[in-house]
Amino acid sequence: MRLNQLTLVAALAAAFPLSTIAADAPAAPAQKPWLDRSLSADKRAELAVKAMTREEKLRWVFGYFGTAFPPKTTKPIDGAIPFSAGFVPGNPRLGLPDLLETDAGIGVATQNTPKPRERTALPSGIATASTWDPQIAYAGGAMIGSEARLSGFNVMLAGGVNLMRDPRNGRNFEYAGEDPLLAGTMVGHAVKGIESNHVISTVKHFALNDQETGRNEHDVRIDKAASRMSDLLAMQLALEQSDAGSVMCSYNRVYGTYACENDYLLNEVLKKDWGFKGYVMSDWGATHSTVQAANNGLDRQSGQEFDKSPYFGGALEEAVKNGYVSEARLDDMATRIVRAMFAKGVVDNPVQQGGNIDFAKNGAVSRATAEEGIVLLKNDNKVLPLSKDVKTIAVIGGHADVGVLSGGGSSQVYPVGGNAVPGLEPKVWPGPVVYYPSSPLRNIQALAPNAKVVYDDGTDPARAARVAAQADVALVFATQWIGEANDATSLALPDNQDTLIDNVAGANPRTVVVLETGGPVAMPWVAKTPAVLEAWYPGTSGGEAIARVLFGAVNPSGHLPATFPASEQQLPRPKLDGDPKQPEQRFTVDYKEGAAVGYKWFDQKGLTPLFPFGHGLSYTTFSYSGLASQVKDGRLHVRFKVTNTGNVAGKDVPQVYVSPLAAKWEAPKRLAGWDKVALQPGESKEVDVVVEPRILGMFDEKSKTWRIAKGKYKLVLAEDGAGKNATSVTVDLPASTLDVRGRLRK
Ligand code: GLC
């Protein structure tokens, strides 16, 4: 179709949105076999789509924003839940419900409004990843999915799993760090938890949307095989482990083509190679065409108000009528969507608003996640845990008197009890800045009722130092707010907090730094502070979780899912690509590091980070023994014993890394597996880690296979990626080939 005809079609479509072109809908059918629950989701979807008119099929592929979008709309489409992310009208004639969509990965979000829905917020995604416990991730997902359902939503736009290629990415807090196996596993379990509530969830943002600067326009270049072993592997694992009903394609271009009209990503990788049977929804504002997008794998335009045109509205109807998009492709689009609705129980378990939410129970789920995700980075001279008999405690900065920080953007969940620190800039997108009203100070006071707790807001470092000097221990809370659509300008803590920490540490040798950050930050003062906790954005009950870790009511067991660089000069791109002041500028981001993301890059370059991937201390100690490996049922098993050699109960995260002694990989080692083991003092447990075979191979794009080279491999069991407490064995593996989904080829 020539450009001028397309322009005409788009103009027509804009003038006549779909709903006014519709033919008279036929009467309700006498029989609705697709509602027969004994049939498979495939069969039910096939029957339902067969009963649809073309107009009815088209309605499923055209999604609306659930909130007014001035100047295009002054009020949201009828039926949408107020200040929600999305809405797609259902089909009452066929007994198929509306699709009511909410963000996002840490709970039921609300678009910016003076009266937001107040819901439970999990800690940030990176905090959940720091637990290294897939069951914790599942439980958190199950909790927020239940709140979504009780709020009337049947779609939850969660499952963010973009890899941390850059520690300054403004959405790192929503994701799960730098390693594809850890990230894919943790997010896969979280999405499975959400979908256990008969709610469709997503895995997003597909793919390689690994920075926010210029997100709508930048063009990612990366070796295809390298992407398969990094970003795409994280998504592949998340999809395998969750069976998510939907994938959200991303804003950026990949190899020159927008991700949401990218035949290679959507048709070849996702649908053909991986066998994805769900549907691809665009990100909001990520649809850029009708014919190209539909034929290259996009199944649903989302938040059509954000796009230049209603591409999947009348224009798609015209394109189908004129044969530029086949009827069969339209059937496939509608079938994928409706199949997900049957498969996830959305049709058989209709949602309704106004359900009764048990916020106390859900707050406890959030707290459990925060407690397991807090990472004890440093604890010299056992400054921690604090004794409840401590006499004077100085609590300084970070609004620690009233609350804990959360991240900004579409994932923003507004807390029960309201924003503890209203009015901070930015008040508009991706703000507002929200603190959850879970006060570290009040919870510290509760755990040390006889202590004198003095608060200083930290705005005057000299005054704060004087307060610290009077105390037995000084707790400095340092915050870094990041938000969607923007990257952190540097790894430095903002607002002069480095000076604050330096001054306080100079005044009191027992200074503990508690970080509430979206991701890795620089710590120029770290030599002067004996103890450092990374609490991330700790969620609805974060103040309680922090206090319980500080006093040892909980023994910290978090481990870093991302490397903390010693400086930005160590990064593949010391300066982030693109210009934040020109968001519409098109530029190329060249991921020359390929699959060597995070610790793999540091290992390849022989760089020493500030804190390594996998790092995390405990109030007890652990030892490893009996390391052995065995190939059984085609899988490599790594067995060992973990012992708690200290005098308090605790949880360890023994990590298994694999290094080829002959084959050539992108980096010296890869994470091959781990476990999380709870042990009483003196207790031991046998662990059996089964290695995901794709981690042992190199992906070959031409044959679309994972090739495991014959030869020796070193298996290292350690407490972190730097080889702490390491013990190792060597295993001899035969050559083998796995298909694109990691299955052994006969
Ligand atoms: C956003 C985000 C996406 C979110 C969607 C709906 O811009 O990129 O993660 O789910 O729009 O709010």
Side-chain angles (χ1 to χ4, degrees):
M1 184 183 253
R2 285 194 306 281
L3 191 58
N4 55 2
Q5 278 181 308
L6 259 187
T7 314
L8 175 63
V9 163
L12 260 179
F16 300 101
L18 199 59
S19 51
T20 58
I21 302 180
D24 292 338
Q31 301 298 323
K32 294 178 186 159
W34 50 88
L35 298 182
D36 175 352
R37 300 181 186 200
S38 67
L39 299 176
S40 70
D42 292 293
K43 188 64 187 162
R44 297 175 74 179
E46 179 199 321
L47 292 168
V49 171
K50 204 174 280 171
M52 288 178 192
T53 64
R54 178 191 291 157
E55 189 275 334
E56 288 175 317
K57 295 172 196 171
L58 283 159
R59 268 209 309 239
W60 291 112
V61 305
F62 189 60
Y64 296 84
F65 191 35
T67 306
F69 189 75
K72 278 201 181 167
T73 65
T74 52
K75 74 180 194 60
I77 182 165
D78 287 346
I81 293 177
F83 298 101
S84 64
F87 177 80
V88 179
N91 187 322
R93 181 177 80 84
L94 303 181
L96 303 176
D98 300 341
L99 290 176
L100 299 122
E101 304 178 334
T102 183
D103 281 305
I106 63 161
V108 177
T110 306
Q111 302 294 325
N112 197 352
T113 167
K115 288 195 67 52
R117 264 176 297 284
E118 296 187 345
R119 293 292 182 272
T120 305
L122 281 172
S124 53
I126 196 167
T128 294
S130 301
T131 71
W132 290 58
D133 184 342
Q135 301 319 315
I136 288 263
Y138 181 93
M143 183 270 283
I144 61 171
S146 73
E147 292 205 359
R149 183 173 181 73
L150 292 167
S151 305
F153 294 106
N154 52 19
V155 179
M156 190 164 217
L157 307 168
V161 67
N162 294 87
L163 283 193
M164 189 188 294
R165 283 185 182 273
D166 197 297
R168 297 159 293 193
N169 180 346
R171 298 187 82 171
N172 281 332
F173 72 96
E174 294 187 60
Y175 303 150
E178 67 195 30
D179 181 85
L181 181 64
L182 177 65
T185 302
M186 296 303 289
V187 172
H189 282 74
V191 168
K192 197 157 185 67
I194 291 169
E195 296 202 332
S196 68
N197 293 280
H198 305 307
V199 169
I200 295 171
S201 187
T202 52
V203 167
K204 69 184 185 181
H205 304 84
F206 190 73
L208 291 149
N209 175 185
D210 295 345
Q211 71 172 56
E212 289 298 287
T213 304
R215 70 175 181 169
N216 293 87
E217 293 302 335
H218 75 253
D219 181 6
V220 169
R221 299 301 160 106
I222 182 171
D223 169 74
K224 286 186 173 178
S227 74
R228 298 265 196 165
M229 297 188 286
S230 53
D231 287 72
L232 295 183
L233 179 57
M235 295 221 170
Q236 185 179 22
L237 291 168
L239 283 170
E240 287 171 0
Q241 298 189 25
S242 66
D243 183 32
S246 178
V247 161
M248 185 188 295
C249 49
S250 57
Y251 289 116
N252 54 291
R253 292 179 173 90
V254 182
Y255 316 120
T257 302
Y258 284 118
C260 289
E261 53 191 41
N262 194 301
D263 181 59
Y264 171 74
L265 287 178
L266 304 181
N267 284 334
E268 189 174 334
V269 173
L270 180 63
K271 294 180 178 179
K272 180 167 153 289
D273 293 347
W274 296 354
F276 179 61
K277 297 175 76 173
Y279 65 101
V280 177
M281 64 164 79
S282 73
D283 201 338
W284 274 236
T287 303
H288 298 278
S289 65
T290 296
V291 174
Q292 182 172 343
N295 288 337
N296 286 355
L298 181 64
D299 298 308
R300 204 286 299 274
Q301 175 179 14
S302 311
Q304 60 91 15
E305 297 85 344
F306 286 71
D307 292 319
K308 290 191 179 74
S309 178
Y311 295 106
F312 279 19
L316 181 58
E317 180 155 26
E318 289 305 306
V320 171
K321 268 189 193 151
N322 297 317
Y324 295 97
V325 174
S326 69
E327 289 284 358
R329 174 59 186 133
L330 176 59
D331 287 356
D332 174 50
M333 294 161 80
T335 301
R336 284 173 174 273
I337 294 166
V338 169
R339 182 193 171 282
M341 293 170 70
F342 287 121
K344 300 304 167 187
V346 163
V347 178
D348 302 333
N349 304 274
V351 285
Q352 57 203 16
Q353 293 184 58
N356 179 28
I357 294 174
D358 184 342
F359 287 112
K361 179 165 147 278
N362 292 351
V365 172
S366 181
R367 194 193 79 199
T369 306
E371 289 172 350
E372 296 248 353
I374 287 173
V375 184
L376 180 57
L377 294 174
K378 190 180 176 193
N379 190 24
D380 291 354
N381 327 318
K382 298 198 184 313
V383 168
L384 294 176
L386 302 177
S387 154
K388 62 180 179 16
D389 303 326
V390 65
K391 301 246 180 314
T392 314
I393 303 172
V395 173
I396 297 165
H399 296 286
D401 54 334
V402 292
V404 289
L405 186 57
S406 63
S410 59
S411 68
Q412 183 70 66
V413 174
Y414 290 85
V416 175
N419 186 350
V421 188
L424 295 177
E425 289 300 341
K427 297 190 184 81
V428 294
W429 174 266
V433 177
V434 175
Y435 275 77
Y436 296 141
S438 174
S439 159
L441 181 90
R442 281 200 296 277
N443 282 285
I444 287 163
Q445 187 71 81
L447 290 175
N450 304 322
K452 181 180 172 227
V453 182
V454 181
Y455 176 68
D456 180 284
D457 70 6
T459 50
D460 175 344
R463 185 191 64 223
R466 288 194 296 274
V467 171
Q470 307 301 316
D472 296 323
V473 64
L475 309 178
V476 193
F477 287 76
T479 61
Q480 172 218 37
W481 184 82
I482 60 174
E484 182 177 339
N486 300 274
D487 294 317
T489 49
S490 84
L491 291 176
L493 285 170
D495 308 327
N496 202 30
Q497 294 179 102
D498 285 334
T499 305
L500 170 65
I501 295 167
D502 199 60
N503 283 22
V504 169
N508 189 324
R510 294 184 71 217
T511 290
V512 178
V513 178
V514 180
L515 296 170
E516 294 174 26
T517 66
V521 289
M523 306 179 203
W525 32 263
V526 74
K528 292 172 73 172
T529 56
V532 183
L533 269 183
E534 174 59 78
W536 312 112
Y537 298 145
T540 281
S541 313
E544 192 178 354
I546 290 169
R548 281 164 53 82
V549 168
L550 286 170
F551 280 91
V554 168
N555 186 351
S557 61
H559 285 252
L560 292 180
T563 304
F564 275 49
S567 96
E568 287 157 79
Q569 296 316 309
Q570 293 182 318
L571 299 174
R573 284 163 293 284
K575 181 184 172 312
L576 261 168
D577 290 325
D579 176 356
K581 296 186 201 56
Q582 299 186 64
E584 296 315 309
Q585 176 194 53
R586 179 173 176 169
F587 58 93
T588 297
V589 180
D590 192 351
Y591 290 143
K592 287 199 184 71
E593 72 275 15
V597 181
Y599 67 89
K600 295 169 184 170
W601 169 263
F602 277 72
D603 287 350
Q604 187 197 86
K605 299 294 180 192
L607 299 169
T608 305
L610 176 62
F611 291 107
F613 174 83
H615 173 69
L617 302 178
S618 172
Y619 294 148
T620 187
T621 50
F622 300 96
S623 70
Y624 303 136
S625 58
L627 178 63
S629 68
Q630 179 196 17
V631 177
K632 203 177 85 183
D633 318 326
R635 286 276 198 249
L636 175 58
H637 290 250
V638 182
R639 292 196 172 88
F640 52 88
K641 185 160 78 170
V642 187
T643 302
N644 180 342
T645 49
N647 49 25
V648 290
K651 295 181 180 177
D652 187 34
V653 179
Q655 300 150 45
V656 175
Y657 294 88
V658 59
S659 301
L661 297 183
K664 214 51 207 105
W665 284 0
E666 76 284 353
K669 71 171 184 285
R670 296 169 178 169
L671 176 70
W674 72 91
D675 200 350
K676 186 149 200 183
V677 188
L679 294 167
Q680 290 303 316
E683 185 186 5
S684 297
K685 262 189 197 153
E686 292 291 337
V687 176
D688 177 7
V689 168
V690 182
V691 174
E692 161 53 54
R694 279 166 281 190
I695 299 299
L696 301 168
M698 290 294 282
F699 190 80
D700 173 64
E701 182 70 20
K702 193 162 169 299
S703 63
K704 295 203 177 177
T705 58
W706 299 81
R707 292 186 174 165
I708 300 173
K710 173 176 172 34
K712 294 188 182 310
Y713 293 79
K714 187 178 175 189
L715 297 165
V716 176
L717 168 64
E719 281 199 20
D720 67 20
K724 182 182 167 199
N725 270 355
T727 169
S728 66
V729 289
T730 302
V731 63
D732 220 334
L733 295 178
S736 59
T737 300
L738 312 174
D739 71 13
V740 70
R741 298 182 204 174
R743 298 169 302 198
L744 193 61
R745 285 230 310 215
K746 299 287 173 256

